[in-house]
Coordinates of all heavy atoms in Angstrom, one line a residue:
M1 N 6.1 5.9 -13.4 CA 5.5 5.4 -12.2 C 6.2 4.0 -11.7 O 6.6 3.2 -12.6 CB 4.0 5.0 -12.4 CG 3.1 6.2 -12.5 SD 1.4 5.7 -12.2 CE 0.7 6.6 -13.5
N2 N 6.3 3.9 -10.4 CA 6.9 2.7 -9.8 C 6.0 1.6 -9.8 O 4.8 1.7 -9.9 CB 7.4 3.1 -8.6 CG 8.5 4.1 -8.5 OD1 9.2 4.3 -9.4 ND2 8.6 5.0 -7.4
R3 N 6.6 0.3 -9.8 CA 5.8 -0.9 -9.5 C 5.1 -0.9 -8.1 O 5.7 -0.3 -7.2 CB 6.7 -2.1 -9.5 CG 6.4 -3.0 -10.6 CD 7.5 -4.1 -10.5 NE 6.9 -5.3 -10.1 CZ 7.5 -6.5 -9.9 NH1 8.7 -6.6 -10.2 NH2 6.7 -7.4 -9.5
L4 N 4.0 -1.6 -8.1 CA 3.3 -1.6 -6.8 C 3.7 -2.8 -6.0 O 3.5 -3.9 -6.2 CB 1.7 -1.8 -7.1 CG 0.9 -0.5 -7.5 CD1 -0.5 -0.8 -7.8 CD2 0.9 0.4 -6.3
A5 N 4.6 -2.3 -5.0 CA 5.2 -3.3 -4.0 C 5.2 -2.6 -2.7 O 5.5 -1.4 -2.6 CB 6.5 -3.9 -4.4
R6 N 4.8 -3.3 -1.6 CA 4.9 -2.8 -0.3 C 6.3 -2.6 0.2 O 7.0 -3.6 0.2 CB 4.1 -3.5 0.7 CG 2.6 -3.8 0.3 CD 1.8 -4.6 1.2 NE 2.2 -5.9 1.1 CZ 2.8 -6.7 2.1 NH1 3.0 -6.1 3.3 NH2 3.1 -8.0 2.0
P7 N 6.7 -1.4 0.4 CA 8.2 -1.2 0.9 C 8.4 -1.9 2.2 O 7.5 -1.9 3.1 CB 8.3 0.2 0.9 CG 6.9 0.7 1.1 CD 6.1 -0.2 0.5
T8 N 9.7 -2.2 2.5 CA 10.0 -2.8 3.8 C 10.4 -1.7 4.8 O 10.5 -2.0 6.0 CB 11.1 -3.8 3.7 OG1 12.3 -3.3 3.0 CG2 10.6 -5.0 2.8
D9 N 10.7 -0.5 4.3 CA 11.3 0.4 5.1 C 10.4 1.5 5.8 O 10.5 1.9 6.8 CB 12.5 1.2 4.5 CG 12.1 1.9 3.2 OD1 11.0 1.6 2.8 OD2 12.8 2.7 2.7
S10 N 9.3 1.9 5.1 CA 8.4 2.9 5.5 C 7.0 2.5 5.8 O 6.1 3.1 5.7 CB 8.3 4.1 4.5 OG 8.0 3.6 3.2
R11 N 6.9 1.2 6.4 CA 5.7 0.7 6.6 C 5.1 1.1 8.1 O 5.9 1.4 8.9 CB 5.7 -0.8 6.7 CG 6.0 -1.6 5.5 CD 5.9 -3.0 5.8 NE 6.2 -3.8 4.5 CZ 6.2 -5.1 4.3 NH1 5.8 -5.9 5.4 NH2 6.4 -5.6 3.3
M12 N 3.8 1.3 8.2 CA 3.3 1.5 9.5 C 2.5 0.2 9.9 O 2.7 -0.2 10.9 CB 2.4 2.7 9.5 CG 3.1 4.1 9.5 SD 2.4 5.4 10.2 CE 2.7 5.4 11.8
I13 N 1.6 -0.2 9.0 CA 0.9 -1.3 9.4 C 1.2 -2.4 8.3 O 1.9 -3.3 8.5 CB -0.7 -1.1 9.4 CG1 -1.0 -0.1 10.5 CG2 -1.4 -2.3 9.6 CD1 -2.4 0.3 10.6
G14 N 0.7 -2.2 7.1 CA 1.0 -3.2 6.1 C 1.8 -2.7 5.0 O 2.3 -3.5 4.1
G15 N 2.0 -1.3 4.8 CA 2.8 -0.7 3.7 C 2.0 -0.3 2.5 O 2.6 0.1 1.6
V16 N 0.6 -0.5 2.6 CA -0.2 -0.2 1.4 C -0.2 1.3 1.1 O 0.0 1.6 -0.1 CB -1.7 -0.7 1.7 CG1 -2.6 -0.2 0.5 CG2 -1.7 -2.2 1.8
C17 N -0.4 2.1 2.1 CA -0.3 3.6 1.8 C 1.1 4.0 1.3 O 1.1 4.9 0.4 CB -0.6 4.3 3.1 SG -2.4 4.2 3.5
A18 N 2.1 3.5 1.9 CA 3.5 3.7 1.4 C 3.7 3.3 -0.1 O 4.3 4.0 -0.9 CB 4.5 3.0 2.2
A19 N 3.2 2.1 -0.4 CA 3.2 1.6 -1.8 C 2.4 2.4 -2.8 O 3.0 3.0 -3.9 CB 2.7 0.2 -2.0
L20 N 1.3 2.9 -2.3 CA 0.4 3.9 -3.3 C 1.1 5.2 -3.3 O 1.1 5.8 -4.3 CB -0.9 4.0 -2.6 CG -1.8 2.7 -2.7 CD1 -3.1 3.0 -2.0 CD2 -2.1 2.4 -4.2
A21 N 1.8 5.6 -2.2 CA 2.5 7.0 -2.3 C 3.6 6.9 -3.2 O 3.7 7.9 -4.0 CB 2.9 7.3 -0.9
R22 N 4.4 5.8 -3.3 CA 5.5 5.7 -4.2 C 5.0 5.6 -5.6 O 5.6 6.2 -6.6 CB 6.3 4.5 -3.9 CG 7.2 4.6 -2.7 CD 8.1 3.4 -2.7 NE 9.0 3.4 -1.5 CZ 9.9 2.5 -1.3 NH1 9.9 1.4 -1.9 NH2 10.7 2.7 -0.1
R23 N 3.8 4.9 -5.8 CA 3.3 4.8 -7.2 C 2.9 6.1 -7.8 O 3.0 6.5 -8.9 CB 2.2 3.8 -7.1 CG 1.3 3.7 -8.3 CD 2.0 3.0 -9.3 NE 1.1 2.7 -10.5 CZ 1.3 1.8 -11.6 NH1 2.3 1.1 -11.4 NH2 0.6 1.7 -12.4
F24 N 2.2 6.9 -6.9 CA 1.7 8.3 -7.4 C 2.4 9.5 -7.1 O 2.2 10.6 -7.4 CB 0.2 8.5 -6.9 CG -0.8 7.4 -7.3 CD1 -1.2 6.5 -6.5 CD2 -1.1 7.3 -8.7 CE1 -2.1 5.6 -6.9 CE2 -1.9 6.4 -9.2 CZ -2.4 5.5 -8.3
G25 N 3.7 9.2 -6.5 CA 4.6 10.4 -6.4 C 4.3 11.4 -5.3 O 4.7 12.5 -5.3
T26 N 3.6 10.8 -4.0 CA 3.4 11.7 -3.0 C 4.0 11.1 -1.8 O 4.7 10.2 -1.9 CB 1.9 11.7 -2.8 OG1 1.4 10.4 -2.4 CG2 1.0 12.2 -3.9
S27 N 4.0 11.8 -0.7 CA 4.5 11.3 0.5 C 3.6 10.3 1.2 O 2.3 10.3 1.0 CB 4.8 12.5 1.5 OG 3.6 13.0 2.0
A28 N 4.2 9.4 2.0 CA 3.4 8.4 2.5 C 2.4 9.0 3.6 O 1.3 8.5 3.8 CB 4.3 7.4 3.4
T29 N 2.9 10.1 4.2 CA 2.0 10.8 5.2 C 0.7 11.2 4.6 O -0.3 11.2 5.1 CB 2.8 11.9 5.9 OG1 3.9 11.3 6.5 CG2 2.0 12.6 7.0
T30 N 0.9 11.9 3.3 CA -0.2 12.4 2.7 C -1.1 11.3 2.3 O -2.4 11.4 2.5 CB 0.2 13.1 1.4 OG1 1.1 14.1 1.7 CG2 -0.9 13.8 0.6
M31 N -0.7 10.2 1.9 CA -1.6 9.1 1.5 C -2.4 8.4 2.8 O -3.4 8.1 2.7 CB -0.7 7.9 0.8 CG -1.6 6.9 0.3 SD -2.6 7.5 -1.2 CE -1.4 8.1 -2.4
R32 N -1.6 8.5 3.9 CA -2.2 8.0 5.1 C -3.3 8.9 5.6 O -4.4 8.5 6.0 CB -1.2 7.9 6.2 CG -0.2 6.7 5.9 CD 0.8 6.7 7.0 NE 1.8 5.5 6.6 CZ 3.1 5.8 6.5 NH1 3.6 6.9 6.8 NH2 3.8 4.7 6.2
V33 N -3.1 10.3 5.5 CA -4.1 11.3 5.8 C -5.4 11.1 5.0 O -6.5 11.2 5.3 CB -3.6 12.6 5.8 CG1 -4.6 13.7 5.9 CG2 -2.6 12.9 6.9
I34 N -5.2 10.9 3.6 CA -6.3 10.8 2.6 C -7.0 9.4 3.0 O -8.2 9.5 3.0 CB -5.7 10.6 1.2 CG1 -5.1 12.0 0.7 CG2 -6.8 10.1 0.3 CD1 -4.5 12.0 -0.5
F35 N -6.4 8.4 3.4 CA -7.0 7.1 3.7 C -7.8 7.4 5.1 O -9.0 7.0 5.1 CB -6.0 6.0 4.1 CG -6.5 4.7 4.6 CD1 -7.4 3.9 3.8 CD2 -6.6 4.4 5.9 CE1 -8.2 2.9 4.2 CE2 -7.1 3.3 6.3 CZ -8.0 2.6 5.6
L36 N -7.3 8.1 6.0 CA -8.0 8.3 7.3 C -9.2 9.2 7.1 O -10.3 9.0 7.7 CB -7.1 8.9 8.3 CG -6.1 8.1 8.9 CD1 -5.2 8.8 9.8 CD2 -6.7 6.9 9.7
L37 N -9.1 10.2 6.1 CA -10.3 11.0 5.9 C -11.2 10.3 5.1 O -12.4 10.5 5.2 CB -9.9 12.2 5.0 CG -9.0 13.3 5.8 CD1 -8.5 14.5 4.8 CD2 -9.9 13.7 6.9
S38 N -10.9 9.3 4.2 CA -11.8 8.5 3.5 C -12.7 7.6 4.4 O -13.8 7.1 4.1 CB -11.2 7.7 2.4 OG -10.5 6.5 2.9
C39 N -12.0 7.2 5.6 CA -12.7 6.4 6.6 C -14.0 7.1 7.2 O -14.8 6.4 7.7 CB -11.8 5.9 7.6 SG -10.6 4.7 7.1
L40 N -14.0 8.4 7.0 CA -15.2 9.2 7.5 C -16.4 9.1 6.6 O -17.5 9.3 7.0 CB -14.9 10.6 7.6 CG -13.8 11.0 8.7 CD1 -13.5 12.5 8.6 CD2 -14.2 10.6 10.0
L41 N -16.2 8.5 5.3 CA -17.1 8.3 4.4 C -17.7 6.8 4.4 O -16.9 6.0 4.9 CB -16.7 8.6 3.0 CG -16.2 9.9 2.7 CD1 -15.5 10.1 1.3 CD2 -17.3 11.0 2.8
P42 N -19.0 6.7 4.2 CA -19.5 5.3 4.2 C -18.8 4.5 3.0 O -18.6 4.9 2.0 CB -21.0 5.4 3.9 CG -21.2 6.8 3.3 CD -20.0 7.6 3.8
G43 N -18.5 3.3 3.2 CA -17.9 2.4 2.2 C -17.0 1.4 2.9 O -16.7 1.4 4.0
P44 N -16.3 0.6 1.9 CA -15.6 -0.6 2.4 C -14.1 -0.3 2.4 O -13.3 -1.0 1.9 CB -15.9 -1.7 1.4 CG -16.2 -0.9 0.1 CD -16.9 0.3 0.7
Q45 N -13.7 0.8 3.1 CA -12.2 1.2 3.0 C -11.3 0.2 3.6 O -10.3 -0.1 3.2 CB -12.1 2.6 3.6 CG -12.6 3.7 2.9 CD -14.1 4.0 3.1 OE1 -14.8 3.2 3.6 NE2 -14.6 5.1 2.7
F46 N -11.8 -0.4 4.9 CA -11.0 -1.2 5.5 C -10.8 -2.6 4.8 O -9.8 -3.1 4.8 CB -11.4 -1.5 7.0 CG -11.4 -0.3 7.8 CD1 -12.4 0.4 8.3 CD2 -10.0 0.1 8.4 CE1 -12.4 1.6 9.0 CE2 -9.9 1.3 9.0 CZ -11.1 2.0 9.5
L47 N -11.9 -3.0 4.2 CA -11.8 -4.2 3.4 C -11.0 -3.9 2.2 O -10.1 -4.9 1.7 CB -13.2 -4.7 2.9 CG -14.3 -5.1 4.1 CD1 -15.5 -5.3 3.5 CD2 -13.6 -6.2 4.7
L48 N -11.0 -2.9 1.5 CA -10.1 -2.5 0.5 C -8.7 -2.4 0.8 O -7.8 -3.1 0.1 CB -10.4 -1.2 -0.3 CG -9.7 -0.7 -1.5 CD1 -9.8 -1.7 -2.6 CD2 -10.0 0.6 -1.9
Y49 N -8.3 -1.9 2.1 CA -7.0 -2.0 2.5 C -6.4 -3.4 2.9 O -5.4 -3.7 2.4 CB -6.9 -1.1 3.8 CG -5.5 -0.9 4.4 CD1 -4.9 0.1 4.0 CD2 -4.9 -1.8 5.2 CE1 -3.5 0.4 4.4 CE2 -3.6 -1.7 5.7 CZ -2.9 -0.5 5.3 OH -1.7 -0.3 5.8
I50 N -7.3 -4.2 3.4 CA -6.9 -5.6 3.6 C -6.7 -6.3 2.2 O -5.8 -7.1 2.1 CB -7.8 -6.3 4.6 CG1 -7.9 -5.7 6.0 CG2 -7.6 -7.7 4.6 CD1 -9.0 -6.1 6.9
A51 N -7.5 -6.2 1.3 CA -7.4 -6.8 0.1 C -6.1 -6.3 -0.7 O -5.4 -7.2 -1.2 CB -8.6 -6.5 -0.9
L52 N -5.8 -5.0 -0.6 CA -4.6 -4.5 -1.2 C -3.3 -5.0 -0.5 O -2.2 -5.3 -1.0 CB -4.5 -3.0 -1.2 CG -5.5 -2.4 -2.2 CD1 -5.5 -0.7 -2.1 CD2 -5.2 -2.7 -3.6
W53 N -3.4 -5.2 0.8 CA -2.3 -5.8 1.7 C -2.0 -7.1 1.2 O -0.8 -7.7 1.0 CB -2.8 -5.8 3.0 CG -1.7 -6.1 4.1 CD1 -0.4 -6.4 3.8 CD2 -1.9 -5.9 5.5 NE1 0.3 -6.6 5.1 CE2 -0.6 -6.3 6.1 CE3 -2.8 -5.6 6.3 CZ2 -0.4 -6.3 7.5 CZ3 -2.6 -5.5 7.7 CH2 -1.5 -5.9 8.2
I54 N -3.0 -8.0 0.9 CA -2.9 -9.3 0.5 C -2.4 -9.3 -1.0 O -1.5 -10.2 -1.5 CB -4.2 -10.1 0.6 CG1 -4.5 -10.3 2.0 CG2 -4.1 -11.4 -0.1 CD1 -6.0 -10.7 2.3
L55 N -2.8 -8.4 -1.9 CA -2.5 -8.5 -3.4 C -1.3 -7.9 -3.6 O -0.6 -8.3 -4.5 CB -3.6 -7.8 -4.1 CG -4.9 -8.5 -4.2 CD1 -6.1 -7.6 -4.9 CD2 -4.9 -9.8 -4.9
F56 N -0.7 -6.9 -3.0 CA 0.6 -6.2 -3.2 C 1.7 -7.1 -2.8 O 1.7 -7.4 -1.4 CB 0.7 -4.8 -2.6 CG -0.2 -3.8 -3.2 CD1 -0.2 -2.4 -2.7 CD2 -0.9 -4.0 -4.4 CE1 -1.0 -1.5 -3.2 CE2 -1.6 -3.0 -5.0 CZ -1.8 -1.7 -4.3
P57 N 2.6 -7.5 -3.5 CA 3.8 -8.3 -2.9 C 4.6 -7.4 -2.2 O 4.7 -6.3 -2.2 CB 4.5 -8.8 -4.2 CG 4.2 -7.7 -5.2 CD 2.7 -7.2 -4.9
S58 N 5.3 -8.0 -1.2 CA 6.3 -7.3 -0.4 C 7.5 -6.9 -1.3 O 7.8 -7.7 -2.1 CB 6.8 -8.2 0.8 OG 7.7 -7.4 1.6
E59 N 8.2 -5.8 -1.0 CA 9.3 -5.5 -2.0 C 10.3 -6.4 -2.1 O 10.8 -6.6 -3.2 CB 9.8 -4.1 -1.3 CG 10.7 -3.3 -2.3 CD 11.0 -1.9 -1.8 OE1 11.5 -1.9 -0.7 OE2 10.8 -1.0 -2.5
G60 N 10.8 -7.1 -1.1 CA 11.8 -8.2 -1.2 C 11.3 -9.3 -2.2 O 12.1 -9.9 -2.8
K61 N 10.1 -9.6 -2.0 CA 9.5 -10.7 -2.9 C 9.4 -10.4 -4.3 O 9.3 -11.1 -5.2 CB 8.2 -11.3 -2.2 CG 8.4 -11.9 -0.9 CD 7.1 -12.4 -0.3 CE 7.3 -13.0 1.0 NZ 6.0 -13.5 1.6
A62 N 8.9 -9.0 -4.5 CA 8.6 -8.5 -5.9 C 10.0 -8.5 -6.8 O 9.8 -8.6 -7.9 CB 8.0 -7.2 -5.7
T63 N 11.0 -8.4 -6.1 CA 12.3 -8.3 -6.9 C 12.9 -9.5 -7.2 O 13.6 -9.7 -8.1 CB 13.3 -7.3 -6.2 OG1 13.7 -7.9 -4.9 CG2 12.8 -6.0 -6.1
R64 N 12.6 -10.7 -6.4 CA 13.1 -11.9 -6.7 C 12.4 -12.6 -7.9 O 11.2 -12.2 -8.1 CB 12.9 -12.8 -5.5 CG 13.9 -12.5 -4.4 CD 13.8 -13.4 -3.3 NE 13.0 -12.9 -2.4 CZ 12.4 -13.6 -1.3 NH1 12.7 -14.9 -1.2 NH2 11.5 -13.1 -0.6
T65 N 13.0 -13.4 -8.6 CA 12.5 -14.1 -9.7 C 12.1 -15.7 -9.2 O 12.8 -16.2 -8.3 CB 13.2 -14.2 -11.0 OG1 14.4 -14.7 -10.6 CG2 13.4 -12.8 -11.5
A66 N 11.3 -16.3 -9.8 CA 10.8 -17.6 -9.5 C 11.9 -18.6 -10.1 O 12.0 -19.8 -9.6 CB 9.5 -18.0 -9.9
W67 N 12.6 -18.2 -11.1 CA 13.5 -19.2 -11.7 C 14.9 -19.0 -11.3 O 15.8 -18.5 -11.5 CB 13.4 -19.2 -13.1 CG 11.9 -19.4 -13.6 CD1 11.0 -18.5 -13.9 CD2 11.3 -20.7 -13.6 NE1 9.9 -19.1 -14.3 CE2 10.0 -20.4 -14.1 CE3 11.7 -21.9 -13.3 CZ2 9.1 -21.4 -14.2 CZ3 10.8 -22.9 -13.5 CH2 9.4 -22.6 -13.9

């Protein structure tokens, strides 16, 4: 499995679905459809998306080191 980092090339809004798709080995389109279908259910999907957007580092920042 790959590291969770938001890619810079296949983003639509924040890159969260693309990062999850890379992590689990699916296409970004499939992950986006799953997210949209989950929005039909009651729950905090949008809040979770925003939290993951904040928590997942951008791909360029994830590869750099602090030292």
Side-chain angles (χ1 to χ4, degrees):
M1 284 199 225
N2 296 332
R3 242 178 108 177
L4 280 174
R6 294 180 294 116
T8 56
D9 56 349
S10 61
R11 291 183 183 182
M12 286 204 85
I13 297 175
V16 174
C17 289
L20 291 173
R22 282 186 180 181
R23 171 75 177 198
F24 296 113
T26 64
S27 70
T29 304
T30 303
M31 195 60 68
R32 290 178 185 124
V33 169
I34 290 170
F35 174 74
L36 288 175
L37 290 175
S38 76
C39 289
L40 298 174
L41 302 170
Q45 289 86 351
F46 292 110
L47 294 176
L48 179 65
Y49 187 91
I50 291 170
L52 292 176
W53 191 352
I54 293 168
L55 292 174
F56 289 174
S58 185
E59 195 171 49
K61 293 178 183 176
T63 56
R64 285 187 270 169
T65 59
W67 304 102

